[in-house]
């Protein structure tokens, strides 16, 4: 799933390559991906892209103040850029292309989604706050106003596991499964730690790990075209998606806990006092 660093990388690329260009056409390949109808997607035709910004994991392409193309890549979506957009028409339901956007210099991009579970979402709105997912976003963890005190205040009274809290977009915007694994490993903290039970030193450590991990990942994504961002993300992972490999910090074996549609990775020595967490999927199979 693209998370804040990769989405920021895409936003920076679109700022450099698409801002100032005129949208000449849009094609919808997956009707279910388009979540709005007023304004219609054809309202974008002839509009000049004036800004590309990130809101959590959403990308907003603004055409002036009152027309915006907003999209969320969800779990299996991606942006495929073309210097010369293919002329082949999209066949709805026959390809992974959800939406195609063509620009006035013959370039453009496809929003694609792999797999059978379709969650990619595209909106054409007059105000980005009309998008429900944007309206409910918590603060951005790399914003200057997101201080350690603000972070500590968010944890108070939340009797929930810290892994889930970091992933909750209504609490903190932009962090998903992968970077929550990385942040907790860097903070030497169990993913099952309860948020409002953390002491001051643990909160200090977690806040520093969050800022450092995300800042480094954003820097690693900076300047890369969309085609290179996924590999850059994989190379930067210390524990996520590295089950069975050696922890680069302590040398222990990285473990996984599986859930219905995802897994989390962690290092027992670094994070859980050397104790492996119960693998719930395996436990069910053994019953």
């Amino acid at each position: 799933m693209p998370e804040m660093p990769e989405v920021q990388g895409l936003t920076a690329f679109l700022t450099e390559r698409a801002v100032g260009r005129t949208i000449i056409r849009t094609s919808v390949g997956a009707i279910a991906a388009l979540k709005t109808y007023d304004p219609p997607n054809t309202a974008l035709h002839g509009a000049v892209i004036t800004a590309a910004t990130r809101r959590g994991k959403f990308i907003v392409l603004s055409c002036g103040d009152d027309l915006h193309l907003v999209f969320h890549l969800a779990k299996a979506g991606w942006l495929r850029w073309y210097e010369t957009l293919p002329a082949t028409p999209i066949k709805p339901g026959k390809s992974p292309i959800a939406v195609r956007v063509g620009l006035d210099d013959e370039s453009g991009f496809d929003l694609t989604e792999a797999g059978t579970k379709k969650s990619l979402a595209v909106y054409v709105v007059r105000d980005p706050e009309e998008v429900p997912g944007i309206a409910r976003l918590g603060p951005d963890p790399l914003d200057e106003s997101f201080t350690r005190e603000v972070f500590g205040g968010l944890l108070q009274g939340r009797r929930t596991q810290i892994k889930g809290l970091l992933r909750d977009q209504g609490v903190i915007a932009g962090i998903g499964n992968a970077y929550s694994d990385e942040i907790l490993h860097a903070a030497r903290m169990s993913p099952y730690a309860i948020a409002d039970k953390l002491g001051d030193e643990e909160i200090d450590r977690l806040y520093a790990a969050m800022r450092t991990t995300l800042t480094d990942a954003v820097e690693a994504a900076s300047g890369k075209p969309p085609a290179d961002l996924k590999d850059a993300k994989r190379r930067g992972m210390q524990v996520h998606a590295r089950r069975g490999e050696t922890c680069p910090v302590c040398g222990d074996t990285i473990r996984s806990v599986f859930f219905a549609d995802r897994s989390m990775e962690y290092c027992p020595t670094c994070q859980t006092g050397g104790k492996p967490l119960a693998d719930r999927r395996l436990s069910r199979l053994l019953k």
Side-chain angles (χ1 to χ4, degrees):
M1 176 185 292
E3 297 180 31
M4 180 232 281
E6 297 77 51
V7 175
Q8 183 61 45
L10 290 172
T11 302
F13 177 85
L14 290 169
T15 296
E16 179 180 344
R17 192 59 188 81
V19 169
R21 304 251 58 103
T22 300
I23 298 173
I24 59 171
R25 68 181 185 276
T26 57
S27 303
V28 179
I31 296 298
L34 188 61
K35 306 301 182 183
T36 55
Y37 62 90
D38 180 24
N41 65 289
T42 53
L44 295 165
H45 299 176
V48 177
I49 299 173
T50 55
T53 54
R54 178 184 62 80
R55 303 284 296 275
K57 301 180 195 177
F58 290 84
I59 293 177
V60 180
L61 291 182
S62 297
C63 301
D65 294 331
D66 56 2
L67 186 62
H68 308 268
L69 173 64
V70 181
F71 52 93
H72 189 292
L73 296 170
K75 186 174 183 179
W78 196 242
L79 184 149
R80 183 185 300 163
W81 178 266
Y82 299 93
E83 291 300 328
T84 302
L85 200 64
T88 308
I90 299 173
K91 296 181 179 179
K94 302 294 185 180
S95 83
I97 300 171
V99 173
R100 172 169 287 173
V101 177
L103 305 178
D104 60 350
D105 63 349
E106 299 185 352
S107 68
F109 60 87
D110 289 337
L111 299 179
T112 66
E113 187 169 25
T116 57
K117 185 177 180 180
K118 303 300 183 182
S119 303
L120 185 146
V122 182
Y123 309 80
V124 181
V125 293
R126 297 179 179 87
D127 183 345
E129 292 294 328
E130 296 175 22
V131 177
I134 288 181
R136 66 176 287 270
L137 285 176
D140 191 294
L142 291 186
D143 192 277
E144 289 184 2
S145 65
F146 191 75
T147 62
R148 188 273 184 212
E149 289 69 29
V150 170
F151 178 56
L154 291 177
L155 303 182
Q156 292 180 6
R158 296 185 185 273
R159 298 187 58 80
T160 185
Q161 294 173 352
I162 193 63
K163 164 81 173 178
L165 183 141
L166 291 175
R167 296 177 64 244
D168 187 336
Q169 300 303 293
V171 178
I172 303 172
I175 302 172
N177 194 40
Y179 286 102
S180 59
D181 281 352
E182 294 298 301
I183 290 165
L184 290 168
H185 178 252
R188 307 187 307 279
M189 185 173 294
S190 170
Y192 292 166
I194 302 301
D196 75 348
K197 297 296 184 182
L198 298 179
D200 287 342
E201 189 275 334
E202 292 173 306
I203 296 173
D204 291 344
R205 203 166 69 232
L206 182 57
Y207 177 76
M210 177 171 56
R211 298 278 287 199
T212 300
T213 299
L214 295 176
T215 297
D216 289 350
V218 168
E219 290 178 356
S222 178
K224 289 183 172 58
D228 295 342
L229 284 171
K230 290 183 180 180
D231 285 340
K233 177 182 180 179
R234 293 188 190 101
R235 287 194 299 269
M237 295 288 116
Q238 300 288 296
V239 292
H240 182 75
R242 295 194 181 279
R243 177 176 180 247
E245 297 183 24
T246 299
C247 172
V249 174
C250 72
D252 196 357
T253 300
I254 296 167
R255 310 294 182 95
S256 291
V257 175
F258 291 92
F259 300 92
D261 60 347
R262 62 181 174 86
S263 67
M264 69 176 184
E265 279 73 47
Y266 69 99
C267 169
T269 294
C270 291
Q271 296 175 252
T272 60
K275 298 178 180 179
L277 299 173
D279 185 333
R280 297 175 180 181
R281 185 177 69 170
L282 181 60
S283 297
R284 287 197 299 271
L285 291 174
L286 294 175
K287 286 181 179 179

